Amino acid sequence: MTIKTANLGFPRIGRQRELKFALERYWAGKATRDELLATGAKLRAENWAAQKARGIDIIPSNDFSFYDHVLDTAVLVGAIPAAYGWKGGPVDLDTYFAMARGSTGTPCASGCTHAANDSGHPALEMTKWFDTNYHYMVPEFERYQHFELTHNRPLEAYIEAEALGYRTRPVLLGPVTFLKLGKAKGGGFDPVDLIKRLLPAYVRVLTELADAGVEWVQIDEPCLVLDLTDKDRRALDLAYRTFAAEIPRLKIMLATYFGLIGDNTAAALALPVAGLHVDLVRAPQQIDALIQSTPADRIISLGVVDGRNIWRTDLAGLFGRLQALVSAHGRDRIELAPSCSLLHVPIDLDLERALDPELSSWLAFAVQKLDELSLLARAFEPGLANPENVFSASIEAAKARLTSLRIHDPLVAGRLKMLTAADSRRQSPFATRRQLQAERLSLPLFPTTTIGSFPQTSEVRHARSLHAKGELSYVDYVAYLRRETEQAVRWQEEIGIDVLVHGEFERNDMVQYFAEQLSGYAFTQSGWVQSYGSRYVRPPVIFGDVSRPNPMTVEWAAFAQSLTDRPVKGMLTGPVTMLQWSFVRDDLPRQVVCRQIALALRDEVSDLEAVGIAIIQIDEPALREGLPLRQDDRRAYLDWAVECFRLSAAGVADATQIHTHMCYSEFNDIMAAIAAMDADVISIETSRSKMELLGAFTEKAYPNEIGPGVYDIHSPRVPGVEEMVHLIEKATEGLTPDQIWVNPDCGLKTRRWAETRPALVNMVAAARSLRQALSAAPRETVRA
């Protein structure tokens, strides 16, 4: 019997980003509900066909989402906050999108409204999906949360696929992971305590699937790679024993991914499920435990092809490592699969027309990873005389990459060897720096600023496109960007922002812009992956040693500063974020690659300071994202991540103020590391949590200055002055007024000017109102 191949999930976005454009047309009122739904149906059909064509035996359904699969699960089981106006039954698209994006009360093309009430409502919180760059919407739970099946979309997707001739395995987010990803509204209880309330809704979903003829269902419980409590394990046991008792005819493939099951192995193997999927890319050491411990009647799904990176699999080496497991367990008890859903990689390498052929030969996108699975399964066919011949192309690519002269730069290696501990330390402690910076900058209490980018309008994108096509000369393109920059600077002066930004109109993406100017990076044309909703990114590819041949931002920062007497921030993306938001080479430790990037940025920081830039912001929104999922692994990561940030920033004088920015993360468990970064000012996302995320900083008495975001830039809402004043006042409950900066949650690139202008005017008015109302010490006073 041939080993079966399985896929855990496929990218949703479409080969030409069809989902993005359909969503944005719908949100803009330019497309109807039926048109959006038709696009979704077309993409699902194409995805099923692509997987079938690549020889995948087990194809998933219900892996598609119009926004986010965690939000889909919340809607599935009726975990919808009362503010969104849901009264039971199926949840309409606009309530769904209100939870995802906030609501404004504006009508949509189908005649409905996007608001649950006349004033609208903010979106749910958003945070990172485990340690990936995918964002999910955080479910909110009440202490006595009521759950009910609203509409069985997993069943609907299964029936849809069956009608097209595809017998699929439906995918659901597991109940315990769903609860652990959520938020206890009002606090005081653990969401996992709600497991008994939640299970009846899951039982109904699964029962209806079984009644429709579904034999297998994939239930994802990636929480099994976390540090679980005994209560978490009891909840898992209760859930899966309930499923086995209530729907005994339904077989469950329990899927774990993103790491080592470790001390949860016994609990996972004790669950009454028919199959277990494990990630052997992130945790290959799990193979031995599986051979020894897995019951003989349990199917093992081996995640052997990397679902999170784009490098080609060494199929020959993998085949050799798997032979013992296959011999011990038998071909009929093995499935070969990606390590996780392919949501995290681009769709098809064949779409790349301009990628360097040598580099392209080292890569595999989602479609190519399915090909790799099929090849690997073929090598295990009984009676195949020379299975290694199946991997000839893979072997050739691996050898070529290993010997390529494009990868290693001895100058970069030599510079790393010369580093000392002093290279990662500022000249003086924060108290000394703060006094010198206050004297240099002369800022008021509650200084206002933005995070960096301003709206990338269609005109800006059109000009960039014309220039890229050669239809707009370099001289004319630069002249256009200078006009945009000057208008942005003048407008910021006009409304009274204290620390200005130049707007970043010349930048395509906060990582790609820098990566294009660094050696060791390569870029795709169609390598899009979903970050959240309709926000897609094309992560650069780090294939070799990284260095900075020339200054990257100095010219634009100096130009903007020449237009005004107010300070203009220099804007850089930090080394950890440059690493995390790229597809990183897998032939060097990640910390070595990060140090290379940090040294390149250090050169840029020094050049910005040399041309008179007094404030330099080094954004690190991905610092928390890179945190290992297991507590025991975190210290080592945080040590090198903090070192890399400090290495990039520590070369400046005391009077130069270093900022950093973080967003959509929980900070409690990394507060010591954030303090160790020693940035003079940190700006963070706090508006969606209504300043709750700020608690980590106040509880630990964070010593430096903080800009807690006062409005959510991922929503089209324009918050009023009073709303922002209220948030800033909440911040003063735990911080002194001279610590607080006033800024949005994040950059404004994705917003429109129609929303940005009134929101920033209100933000400035809020800061001024508080200055007038508050009797506080002068900003330049240094706290004891």
Side-chain angles (χ1 to χ4, degrees):
M1 178 179 289
T2 303
I3 292 176
K4 288 186 176 180
T5 56
N7 189 22
L8 274 64
F10 199 76
R12 311 155 177 162
I13 63 179
R15 292 168 61 88
Q16 305 297 332
R17 294 181 289 159
E18 292 92 335
L19 182 58
K20 171 185 176 66
F21 302 123
L23 285 169
E24 292 175 354
R25 285 195 299 271
Y26 178 74
W27 294 335
K30 296 179 181 178
T32 66
R33 176 182 180 276
D34 287 345
E35 288 171 331
L36 176 61
L37 294 178
T39 297
K42 178 176 180 290
L43 292 175
R44 289 190 294 272
E46 289 176 354
N47 291 348
W48 291 322
Q51 293 169 85
K52 185 70 172 179
R54 299 288 169 165
I56 299 302
D57 300 306
I58 301 169
I59 297 171
S61 59
N62 196 46
D63 55 331
F64 178 85
S65 175
F66 279 114
Y67 204 95
D68 163 51
H69 58 277
V70 182
L71 177 62
D72 291 351
T73 307
V75 167
L76 176 72
V77 299
I80 302 169
Y84 295 100
W86 176 69
K87 302 300 183 184
V91 179
D92 65 84
L93 268 178
D94 295 294
T95 298
Y96 174 85
F97 288 132
M99 295 170 70
R101 306 176 65 241
S103 56
T104 62
T106 56
C108 71
S110 54
C112 54
T113 61
H114 292 290
N117 52 53
D118 290 341
S119 60
H121 195 276
L124 294 175
E125 289 182 43
M126 182 192 298
T127 195
K128 295 297 177 70
W129 170 249
F130 291 80
D131 59 350
T132 74
N133 187 34
Y134 175 80
H135 301 67
Y136 76 90
M137 309 308 300
V138 180
E140 289 184 3
F141 304 125
E142 303 279 357
R143 181 182 293 273
Y144 302 105
Q145 179 72 46
H146 171 73
F147 296 102
E148 65 177 82
L149 174 60
T150 62
H151 180 71
N152 199 334
R153 296 199 182 278
L155 174 60
E156 190 175 76
Y158 175 81
I159 294 172
E160 180 183 350
E162 191 174 45
L164 294 172
Y166 307 107
R167 191 163 180 83
T168 59
R169 185 168 69 186
V171 179
L172 282 82
L173 179 61
V176 179
T177 297
F178 173 64
L179 291 174
K180 287 187 68 65
L181 293 174
K183 172 184 176 182
K185 192 172 181 181
F189 70 98
D190 183 347
V192 173
D193 295 337
L194 302 171
I195 186 66
K196 290 183 179 180
R197 291 175 170 268
L198 175 62
L199 287 179
Y202 268 81
V203 167
R204 187 174 168 196
V205 171
L206 296 174
T207 299
E208 291 182 4
L209 286 169
D211 290 345
V214 173
E215 181 182 4
W216 279 88
V217 63
Q218 173 187 320
I219 303 184
D220 291 357
E221 291 283 11
C223 71
L224 278 161
V225 305
L226 304 178
D227 295 314
L228 297 183
T229 64
D230 288 341
K231 180 169 69 173
D232 296 332
R233 296 188 186 101
R234 287 194 298 271
L236 284 161
D237 188 73
L238 174 63
Y240 290 89
R241 293 201 181 280
T242 298
F243 298 156
E246 297 284 343
I247 324 106
R249 64 192 185 280
L250 188 65
K251 296 178 182 178
I252 293 175
M253 174 60 71
L254 181 69
T256 72
Y257 39 82
F258 298 153
L260 178 71
I261 304 178
D263 58 352
N264 297 320
T265 299
L269 292 175
L271 297 177
V273 295
L276 177 67
H277 172 85
V278 290
D279 185 339
L280 295 183
V281 174
R282 278 293 187 92
Q285 66 271 35
Q286 296 184 102
I287 290 183
D288 292 339
L290 287 170
I291 292 175
Q292 298 168 9
S293 306
T294 305
D297 63 348
R298 190 77 49 92
I299 288 182
I300 308 176
S301 172
L302 305 178
V304 292
V305 170
D306 195 344
R308 291 182 54 173
N309 211 335
I310 59 173
W311 301 103
R312 195 166 183 165
T313 305
D314 176 8
L315 292 175
L318 177 60
F319 177 74
R321 293 192 298 275
L322 291 179
Q323 283 180 312
L325 182 57
V326 172
S327 297
H329 210 65
R331 290 183 178 86
D332 59 337
R333 299 293 183 184
I334 296 289
E335 291 178 7
L336 298 176
S339 58
C340 60
S341 168
L342 297 175
L343 167 70
H344 308 286
V345 295
I347 292 178
D348 191 352
L349 187 62
D350 289 345
L351 293 173
E352 299 299 327
R353 304 300 183 192
L355 199 60
D356 177 84
E358 182 183 23
L359 176 60
S360 182
S361 72
W362 303 340
L363 305 181
F365 291 179
V367 166
Q368 287 71 39
K369 290 177 185 295
L370 300 180
D371 288 338
E372 290 183 327
L373 289 172
S374 295
L375 280 174
L376 189 60
R378 208 174 99 206
F380 281 105
E381 288 179 1
L384 193 62
N386 296 299
E388 291 80 5
N389 291 343
V390 174
F391 309 129
S392 56
S394 174
I395 293 169
E396 183 180 341
K399 287 181 179 178
R401 185 180 173 203
L402 185 65
T403 58
S404 174
L405 299 177
R406 303 171 59 188
I407 292 177
H408 302 291
D409 183 343
L411 295 178
V412 174
R415 192 175 180 190
L416 285 176
K417 288 181 180 178
M418 294 175 63
L419 289 176
T420 67
D423 292 317
S424 299
R425 290 196 299 265
R426 294 289 295 270
Q427 297 173 19
S428 303
F430 173 68
T432 301
R433 303 197 309 264
R434 190 182 195 209
Q435 181 68 50
L436 294 171
Q437 292 163 16
E439 293 170 357
R440 180 180 185 184
L441 298 171
S442 299
L443 296 173
L445 278 175
F446 303 114
T448 55
T449 189
T450 62
I451 302 304
S453 59
F454 277 149
Q456 291 265 327
T457 63
S458 58
E459 291 79 12
V460 170
R461 295 194 301 271
H462 182 61
R464 183 181 299 127
S465 175
L466 290 177
H467 176 57
K469 295 175 183 176
E471 298 174 16
L472 182 65
S473 71
Y474 174 77
V475 171
D476 289 340
Y477 181 54
V478 169
Y480 170 78
L481 293 175
R482 281 180 165 244
R483 290 193 298 272
E484 291 292 310
T485 300
E486 182 167 5
Q487 289 174 11
V489 168
R490 300 296 181 218
W491 180 75
Q492 291 172 84
E493 287 183 316
E494 178 184 329
I495 68 169
I497 291 180
D498 300 302
V499 173
L500 313 187
V501 297
H502 78 285
E504 303 180 10
F505 302 108
E506 79 285 1
R507 303 186 188 184
N508 45 20
D509 176 83
M510 68 178 293
V511 170
Q512 183 178 345
Y513 176 77
F514 294 97
E516 286 175 341
Q517 302 180 76
L518 295 170
S519 63
Y521 275 88
F523 310 91
T524 66
Q525 290 179 319
S526 301
W528 297 100
V529 293
Q530 185 181 29
S531 180
Y532 63 86
S534 67
R535 170 68 169 157
Y536 306 160
V537 294
R538 280 182 303 163
V541 179
I542 304 177
F543 69 89
D545 289 341
V546 178
S547 61
R548 186 199 72 148
N550 297 294
M552 301 180 288
T553 66
V554 174
E555 182 180 352
W556 285 107
F559 170 69
Q561 187 61 79
S562 72
L563 301 172
T564 180
D565 293 331
R566 298 186 186 188
V568 175
K569 286 193 289 189
M571 302 299 305
L572 305 175
T573 301
V576 178
T577 301
M578 290 291 297
L579 181 86
Q580 286 294 128
W581 292 0
S582 299
F583 290 120
V584 184
R585 60 192 291 188
D586 57 0
D587 61 332
L588 277 183
R590 291 174 71 86
Q591 59 264 39
V592 174
V593 180
C594 198
R595 288 189 185 99
Q596 293 179 356
I597 301 169
L599 284 175
L601 292 173
R602 184 184 181 94
D603 295 340
E604 187 73 9
V605 169
S606 296
D607 285 349
L608 285 168
E609 183 183 49
V611 297
I613 302 301
I615 301 177
I616 302 170
Q617 182 171 307
I618 306 172
D619 289 347
E620 284 291 21
L623 184 79
R624 175 63 175 77
E625 168 192 314
L627 194 68
L629 299 175
R630 293 285 190 157
Q631 189 69 40
D632 289 347
D633 301 326
R634 293 180 176 181
R635 178 63 183 270
Y637 161 75
L638 289 171
D639 284 349
W640 65 254
V642 168
E643 177 206 344
C644 288
F645 176 85
R646 292 175 63 129
L647 183 60
S648 69
V652 297
D654 289 343
T656 298
Q657 190 173 77
I658 296 293
H659 289 223
T660 191
H661 170 67
M662 297 180 183
C663 55
Y664 301 107
S665 296
E666 297 288 344
F667 301 109
N668 302 60
D669 50 358
I670 61 167
M671 275 309 304
I674 292 175
M677 291 170 69
D678 199 26
D680 299 303
V681 182
I682 180 172
S683 55
I684 59 172
E685 178 275 324
T686 53
S687 70
R688 284 195 181 195
S689 70
K690 304 193 174 45
M691 293 290 165
E692 287 181 15
L693 288 177
L694 191 59
F697 292 82
T698 59
E699 290 168 11
K700 300 291 185 180
Y702 183 72
N704 299 12
E705 298 181 18
I706 308 178
V710 297
Y711 82 90
D712 175 22
I713 67 88
H714 292 93
S715 170
R717 289 182 70 247
V718 176
V721 175
E722 290 185 3
E723 182 177 331
M724 295 192 204
V725 167
H726 174 67
L727 289 176
I728 301 168
E729 287 176 339
K730 287 191 70 173
T732 63
E733 294 172 5
L735 300 170
T736 58
D738 60 341
Q739 276 185 285
I740 298 173
W741 287 62
V742 177
N743 46 256
D745 274 343
C746 201
L748 296 160
K749 173 183 176 180
T750 60
R751 295 267 57 90
R752 299 177 303 155
W753 277 112
E755 303 147 3
T756 297
R757 288 191 175 96
L760 290 182
V761 167
N762 289 350
M763 185 186 80
V764 171
R768 287 174 172 169
S769 173
L770 282 163
R771 289 172 199 159
Q772 294 170 2
L774 191 65
S775 175
R779 181 171 181 75
E780 57 269 23
T781 300
V782 178
R783 297 186 308 280

